[in-house]
């Protein structure tokens, strides 16, 4: 308790001391890097970027400095070299002022962070927030202290992160007040977004990014308390894009792309001291300036040369060719594996199905349920396999999308395409597929400066060798033909969806028309009861005619759509007659059901037109008589009821439609139509049932049937 009290009371002073001295972890990291470089050779090929960032650090803080690059781009080495010896060690006085006077805090994240809790844990250690660390330890050993501590067990919360940032801010303010002329401290957060899976893309990761960016803008741009340097891969760049409203104008992005060819050649010379110019060119021509590939190939070649005791130039040439070919084949296999991993369709397929109803059987507890929810979220954020993209079934791209992306990249200048262009035009506005492909090291990115002083995010192959692999795949004739057929089939499927959506819209409008007709019928019946039949007929006659005209228009449109849908369903892009898949069979069953329903509507319309057409030719019935249209309906019933038994059979419907239109109607279709309107279930239609069938549409027939039975 005494230790905790002391650390809590002096928490700001302890944090200020930690932020104004050079980080011990950074010193150890620099020593290792210097040993790897042979005692201080500097960082090859990054002079321009080093000079740019060094210039920013020599001024007062005004922007967040972001070092962005793909995997194996050398971001950590870049930061280490930057803070170890600015200007390649030539300015010793500047180096001493940077590392000693101002203080450097190095926060190494990378694979250590996969949740807000683990991020806060690293930050607590880097800022020397002992009171939070001690409280975390006490919670860990006191599981009996209550339900709240059970929830907090083995994790930091968002409240702890807010407290940590608040204490760090106060410590920086104290340092600025006590040392107004000294250079401001440097806080390096290395590997942001490079943790487990795509955690930064989760809701918790986005919340963390928003809170961290707000804090960084405050201590740099607004208060000029410290320099903040962030390094990361595509997840960091995506977070900056998502938090554009917060970070707009407050960020300086420095991209670490591929090295120049001359610098890549220097790396080959360092690994293979006796390599000739042609041998160096054979490596750089395929693998460009991607440090990881150039070093890997050079070391493989050097190992093969030492193991096989190569003597002649021809043998040496074969070794180079063999290693380069094997490494290049690995790049092609990586793309092929991405095609194999791709999902079959865009159907999200019940991601939330596993948890649906999980809490249905739990008794509600107003006290424990909130704690259960918090604890469940903590477990989900810290689980190793909970992400939807943790396995192959959760990938966010299809084969066609991957092919279209590769094609777009190969055909673009410098093999670089805007991220927003690919996201919106190929992935339908969803960024998940692109981010997954970057995580699989199939795609990479580069950051370019825009004309307005900002930055542009472009998608590239993950390496120059992969760019060559993309070209190799695009030039494959069989593969090209296959995906052209897939594209054509996808276009036809999209057209089918549009036609089906239009038919569904027409069907909904038809139901609305049926409701309007039903309303008209009720109004006419009400007019008869009130003795105002003539007035109701005069007012509603035109409305009824308008509805009939709209129905005829809908019928014509629907017939056209049915024909178009039939053509799309039967004509395959390859001209073949292959068997339909399960999905296509389901579509056909659905279409058959829709067609059956449309056939019933069509038969009903033809019957109405035929009957009303017959009675309209009868001059003995006047349009303005007292019974109006009901007189014509009664006459229509008499025309149909040839047996004069007060019932209309299915054969009567078939006969009348055939006589009036010349078109044959199947007896079964007529029986199905009668069964839909047969209120008393006697297998025939009486006058009342026929009247409702002719005046009320198909969409409300079941409702009408149920209502009459109740009546």
């Amino acid at each position: 308790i005494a230790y905790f009290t002391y650390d809590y009371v002096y928490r700001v002073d302890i944090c200020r001391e930690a932020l104004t001295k050079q980080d011990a972890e950074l010193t150890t990291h620099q020593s290792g890097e210097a040993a790897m470089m042979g005692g201080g050779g500097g960082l090859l090929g990054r002079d321009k970027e080093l000079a740019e960032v060094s210039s920013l650090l020599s001024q007062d803080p005004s922007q967040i400095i972001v070092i962005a690059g793909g995997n194996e781009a050398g971001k950590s080495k870049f930061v280490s070299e930057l803070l170890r010896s600015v200007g390649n060690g030539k300015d010793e006085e500047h180096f001493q002022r940077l590392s000693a006077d101002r203080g450097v805090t190095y926060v190494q994240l990378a694979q250590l962070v996969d949740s807000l809790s683990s991020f806060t844990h690293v930050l607590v250690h880097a800022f020397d927030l002992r009171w939070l660390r001690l409280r975390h330890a006490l919670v860990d050993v006191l599981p009996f202290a209550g339900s709240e501590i059970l929830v907090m067990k083995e994790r930091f919360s968002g409240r702890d992160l807010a407290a940590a940032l608040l204490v760090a801010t106060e410590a920086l303010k104290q340092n600025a007040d006590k040392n107004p002329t000294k250079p401001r401290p440097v806080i390096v957060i290395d590997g942001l977004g490079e943790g487990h899976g795509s955690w930064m893309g989760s809701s918790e990761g986005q919340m963390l990014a928003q809170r961290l960016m707000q804090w960084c803008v405050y201590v740099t741009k607004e208060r000029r308390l410290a320099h903040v340097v962030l390094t990361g891969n595509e997840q960091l760049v995506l977070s900056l894009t998502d938090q554009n409203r917060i970070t707009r104008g407050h960020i300086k992005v420095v991209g670490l792309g591929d090295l120049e060819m001359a610098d890549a050649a220097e790396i080959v010379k360092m690994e293979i001291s006796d390599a000739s110019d042609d041998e160096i060119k054979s490596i750089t021509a395929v693998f460009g300036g991607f440090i990881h590939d150039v070093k890997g190939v050079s070391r493989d070649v050097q190992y093969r040369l030492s193991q096989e005791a190569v003597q002649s130039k021809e043998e040496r040439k074969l070794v180079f060719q063999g290693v380069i070919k094997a490494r290049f084949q690995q790049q092609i296999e990586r793309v092929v594996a991405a095609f194999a991993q791709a999902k079959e369709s865009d159907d999200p397929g019940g991601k939330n199905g596993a948890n649906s109803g999980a809490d249905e059987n739990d008794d509600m507890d107003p006290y424990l349920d909130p704690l259960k929810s918090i604890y469940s979220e903590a477990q989900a954020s810290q689980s190793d396999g909970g992400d939807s993209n943790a396995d192959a079934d959760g990938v966010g791209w299809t084969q066609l999308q991957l092919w279209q992306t590769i094609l777009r990249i190969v055909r673009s200048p410098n093999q670089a395409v805007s991220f927003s262009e690919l996201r919106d035009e190929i992935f339908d506005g969803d960024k998940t597929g692109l981010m997954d492909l970057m995580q699989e090291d199939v795609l990479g990115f580069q950051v370019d400066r825009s004309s307005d002083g900002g930055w542009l995010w472009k998608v590239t192959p993950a390496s120059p060798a992969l760019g060559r692999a993309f070209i190799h795949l695009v030039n494959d004739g069989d593969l090209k033909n296959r995906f052209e057929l897939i594209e054509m089939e996808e276009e036809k499927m999209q057209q089918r969806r549009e036609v089906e959506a239009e038919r569904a819209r027409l069907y909904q409008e038809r139901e609305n028309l049926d409701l309007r007709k039903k309303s008209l019928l009720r109004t006419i019946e009400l007019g008869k009861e009130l003795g105002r039949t003539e007035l109701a007929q005069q007012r509603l006659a035109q409305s009824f005619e308008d509805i009939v005209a709209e129905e005829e228009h809908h019928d014509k449109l629907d017939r056209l759509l049915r024909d178009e849908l039939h053509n799309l369903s039967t004509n395959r892009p390859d001209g073949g007659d292959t068997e339909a898949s399960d999905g296509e069979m389901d579509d056909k069953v659905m279409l058959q059901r829709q067609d059956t329903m449309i056939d019933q509507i069509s038969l009903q319309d033809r019957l109405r037109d035929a009957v009303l057409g017959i009675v309209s030719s009868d001059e003995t019935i006047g349009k303005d008589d007292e019974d109006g249209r009901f007189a014509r309906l009664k006459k229509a019933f008499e025309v149909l009821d040839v047996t004069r038994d007060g019932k209309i059979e299915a054969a009567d419907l078939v006969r009348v439609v055939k006589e009036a239109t010349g078109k044959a109607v199947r007896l079964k279709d007529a029986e199905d139509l009668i069964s839909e309107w047969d209120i008393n279930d006697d297998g025939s239609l009486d006058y009342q049932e026929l009247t409702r069938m002719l005046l009320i549409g198909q969409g409300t027939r079941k409702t009408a049937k149920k209502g009459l039975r109740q009546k």
Side-chain angles (χ1 to χ4, degrees):
I1 293 176
Y3 274 122
F4 178 82
T5 303
Y6 177 85
D7 292 339
Y8 181 77
V9 171
Y10 294 100
R11 61 191 183 280
V12 176
D13 297 304
I14 297 172
C15 181
R16 177 170 57 82
E17 183 179 354
L19 293 173
T20 54
K21 67 180 182 180
Q22 187 170 5
D23 200 308
E25 182 179 353
L26 179 61
T27 305
T28 305
H29 186 61
Q30 290 169 346
S31 302
E33 293 292 341
M36 290 178 62
M37 294 178 183
L43 190 63
L44 186 63
R46 300 299 187 191
D47 294 339
K48 181 179 178 181
E49 292 86 352
L50 283 171
E52 183 178 6
V53 179
S54 299
S55 175
L56 294 173
L57 293 179
S58 64
Q59 306 168 13
D60 286 337
S62 60
Q63 290 179 308
I64 306 170
I65 303 172
V66 175
I67 311 299
N71 297 331
E72 307 296 338
K75 299 181 290 293
S76 297
K77 292 181 180 179
F78 177 86
V79 172
S80 178
E81 176 64 16
L82 171 70
L83 301 178
R84 186 182 68 85
S85 55
V86 176
N88 205 18
K90 296 178 181 179
D91 189 355
E92 185 65 24
E93 181 181 354
H94 190 189
F95 166 67
Q96 292 294 338
R97 182 164 61 89
L98 177 67
S99 60
D101 289 350
R102 63 171 58 187
V104 177
T105 303
Y106 186 74
V107 183
Q108 175 67 45
L109 300 180
Q111 301 301 322
L112 298 175
V113 171
D114 60 358
S115 65
L116 184 145
S117 176
S118 55
F119 175 85
T120 306
H121 186 276
V122 175
L123 210 63
V124 165
H125 176 77
F127 291 172
D128 200 14
L129 304 176
R130 303 173 190 172
W131 62 284
L132 276 177
R133 191 163 60 238
L134 183 58
R135 195 191 74 178
H136 182 271
L138 290 174
V139 170
D140 193 23
V141 299
L142 296 176
F144 52 82
S147 58
E148 183 177 0
I149 291 184
L150 279 174
V151 171
M152 294 165 51
K153 181 176 172 61
E154 297 184 351
R155 69 185 292 268
F156 286 104
S157 65
R159 180 181 60 184
D160 296 324
L161 175 62
L165 296 177
L166 180 61
V167 170
T169 303
E170 293 299 321
L172 291 172
K173 287 180 180 179
Q174 280 192 10
N175 177 67
D177 293 338
K178 292 183 178 181
N179 305 292
T181 60
K182 283 188 176 182
R184 295 292 179 249
V186 178
I187 300 174
V188 180
I189 302 180
D190 188 17
L192 185 61
E194 298 184 6
H196 171 71
S198 58
W199 169 77
M200 282 291 289
S202 66
S203 58
E204 186 184 51
Q206 292 174 359
M207 182 196 70
L208 168 65
Q210 180 180 2
R211 185 172 296 179
L212 181 63
M213 292 304 167
Q214 289 173 337
W215 181 77
C216 291
V217 170
Y218 180 79
V219 300
T220 55
K221 176 72 174 180
E222 295 183 8
R223 296 301 301 270
R224 301 180 184 272
L225 301 175
H227 290 280
V228 177
V229 180
L230 307 177
T231 77
N233 57 12
E234 65 277 356
Q235 287 291 344
L236 173 59
V237 179
L238 179 62
S239 298
L240 297 178
T241 305
D242 292 340
Q243 306 298 329
N244 182 56
R245 185 173 182 180
I246 299 174
T247 61
R248 186 187 301 125
H250 306 324
I251 286 184
K252 182 66 175 181
V253 180
V254 179
L256 298 184
D258 297 332
L259 299 178
E260 299 291 339
M261 286 299 187
D263 297 322
E266 287 295 325
I267 293 179
V268 178
K269 288 182 180 179
M270 291 171 58
E271 300 293 338
I272 310 174
S273 58
D274 59 342
S276 65
D277 292 342
D278 291 339
E279 291 171 343
I280 294 174
K281 190 176 295 184
S282 66
I283 294 178
T284 57
V286 177
F287 301 100
F290 190 61
I291 300 175
H292 178 73
D293 284 348
V294 172
K295 280 188 175 182
V297 171
S298 301
R299 290 172 180 173
D300 288 347
V301 169
Q302 181 62 32
Y303 177 79
R304 287 276 301 275
L305 292 175
S306 61
Q307 291 295 316
E308 298 178 10
V310 176
Q311 300 294 331
S312 66
K313 290 184 178 181
E314 189 64 29
E315 292 176 343
R316 186 180 177 94
K317 182 179 179 180
L318 291 175
V319 169
F320 272 84
Q321 291 177 347
V323 172
I324 292 173
K325 183 177 180 180
R327 181 64 71 111
F328 182 69
Q329 186 63 32
Q330 292 177 5
Q331 310 295 326
I332 295 180
E333 291 174 356
R334 187 187 304 175
V335 183
V336 173
F339 276 111
Q341 279 185 286
K343 61 183 180 180
E344 293 297 329
S345 65
D346 293 331
D347 182 16
K351 283 185 178 180
N352 300 323
N355 294 327
S356 61
D359 299 325
E360 290 179 359
N361 297 325
D362 293 344
D363 294 332
M364 294 297 295
D365 190 318
Y367 301 102
L368 289 182
D369 279 352
L371 298 178
K372 289 179 183 179
S373 176
I374 297 174
Y375 191 62
S376 299
E377 291 176 2
Q379 287 182 320
S381 66
Q382 295 179 357
S383 63
D384 293 333
D387 290 341
S388 61
N389 57 356
D391 53 17
D393 295 334
V395 297
W397 71 88
T398 63
Q399 289 187 353
L400 182 59
Q401 287 174 335
L402 178 55
W403 172 259
Q404 291 174 337
T405 300
I406 291 174
L407 206 59
R408 189 75 64 92
I409 289 175
V410 169
R411 292 175 177 175
S412 64
N414 302 321
Q415 293 194 347
V417 185
S418 169
F419 180 89
S420 58
E421 177 183 336
L422 292 177
R423 178 197 61 201
D424 297 338
E425 297 182 10
I426 295 180
F427 290 86
D428 300 326
D430 187 3
K431 61 194 175 186
T432 306
L434 282 172
M435 298 304 296
D436 287 349
L437 287 169
M438 289 182 184
Q439 190 176 0
E440 294 292 329
D441 289 330
V442 175
L443 297 180
F445 71 95
Q446 68 182 33
V447 178
D448 295 337
R449 295 179 181 176
S450 61
S451 57
D452 59 354
W455 51 278
L456 299 174
W457 186 15
K458 293 186 176 180
V459 179
T460 65
S463 66
L466 270 172
R468 293 177 64 88
F470 287 177
I471 296 174
H472 178 80
L473 292 174
V474 168
N475 292 333
D476 187 306
D478 294 338
L479 200 62
K480 186 176 181 180
N481 292 335
R482 173 189 173 190
F483 279 102
E484 285 179 352
L485 292 176
I486 293 177
E487 285 181 337
M488 294 172 62
E489 182 66 26
E490 183 69 21
E491 291 178 1
K492 297 192 71 173
M493 288 296 297
Q494 181 61 31
Q495 293 174 2
R496 285 187 56 188
R497 296 188 194 103
E498 293 174 357
V499 172
E500 290 170 356
E502 181 64 17
R503 290 189 72 193
R505 186 189 66 81
L506 287 176
Y507 182 73
Q508 182 63 42
E509 290 185 2
R510 184 61 178 269
E511 287 187 332
N512 294 335
L513 291 176
D514 294 338
L515 291 175
R516 289 172 58 187
K517 287 195 297 184
K518 184 178 180 181
S519 177
L520 289 177
L521 179 62
R522 289 178 177 175
T523 304
I524 293 173
E525 291 176 348
L526 180 62
K528 290 185 66 175
E529 293 178 2
L530 298 176
R532 306 295 297 273
T533 304
E534 183 177 355
L535 178 62
Q537 291 174 353
Q538 292 175 355
R539 297 287 179 87
L540 301 179
Q542 186 59 44
S543 298
F544 185 83
E545 296 295 340
D546 293 341
I547 292 175
V548 172
E550 288 186 48
E551 287 179 336
E552 293 177 353
H553 178 66
H554 287 175
D555 290 341
K556 292 179 181 179
L557 288 179
D558 188 71
R559 284 193 292 271
L560 293 175
L561 292 174
R562 287 177 61 189
D563 293 340
E564 184 178 355
L565 197 59
H566 178 73
N567 293 333
L568 290 172
S569 301
T570 55
N571 297 332
R572 300 183 61 87
D574 56 358
D577 295 326
T578 57
E579 295 184 358
S581 63
D582 293 339
E584 291 173 338
M585 290 298 296
D586 292 339
D587 290 341
K588 288 184 177 180
V589 171
M590 180 186 67
L591 288 175
Q592 289 173 357
R593 291 175 180 174
Q594 290 181 351
D595 290 342
T596 300
M597 182 172 59
I598 295 298
D599 288 339
Q600 291 181 1
I601 299 174
S602 178
L603 175 58
Q604 179 181 338
D605 293 337
R606 282 186 285 171
L607 177 63
R608 182 184 61 226
D609 295 341
V611 172
L612 296 181
I614 292 173
V615 299
S616 63
S617 60
D618 191 345
E619 297 180 355
T620 62
I621 303 176
K623 295 184 178 179
D624 298 327
D625 291 345
E626 182 179 356
D627 291 335
R629 297 178 185 273
F630 288 100
R632 293 203 303 276
L633 290 174
K634 184 171 290 188
K635 181 63 176 178
F637 184 79
E638 294 174 358
V639 171
L640 289 170
D641 185 15
V642 294
T643 60
R644 299 295 185 267
D645 60 353
K647 296 181 180 180
I648 298 175
E649 310 289 342
D652 297 327
L653 300 183
V654 173
R655 174 183 55 80
V656 170
V657 173
K658 177 67 174 177
E659 292 175 354
T661 65
K663 297 180 180 179
V665 177
R666 292 185 306 175
L667 183 62
K668 185 178 184 305
D669 293 337
E671 291 173 348
D672 291 339
L673 181 60
I674 286 179
S675 66
E676 290 291 335
W677 293 95
D678 184 13
I679 298 172
N680 54 14
D681 293 328
D682 62 352
S684 61
L685 297 179
D686 57 21
Y687 172 71
Q688 186 180 25
E689 293 166 344
L690 176 67
T691 301
R692 290 188 173 273
M693 184 184 72
L694 294 177
L695 293 181
I696 302 176
Q698 184 267 350
T700 56
R701 60 180 181 265
K702 292 185 178 179
T703 305
K705 187 174 182 179
K706 180 179 178 181
L708 278 181
R709 281 178 173 169
Q710 291 177 347
K711 185 176 179 180

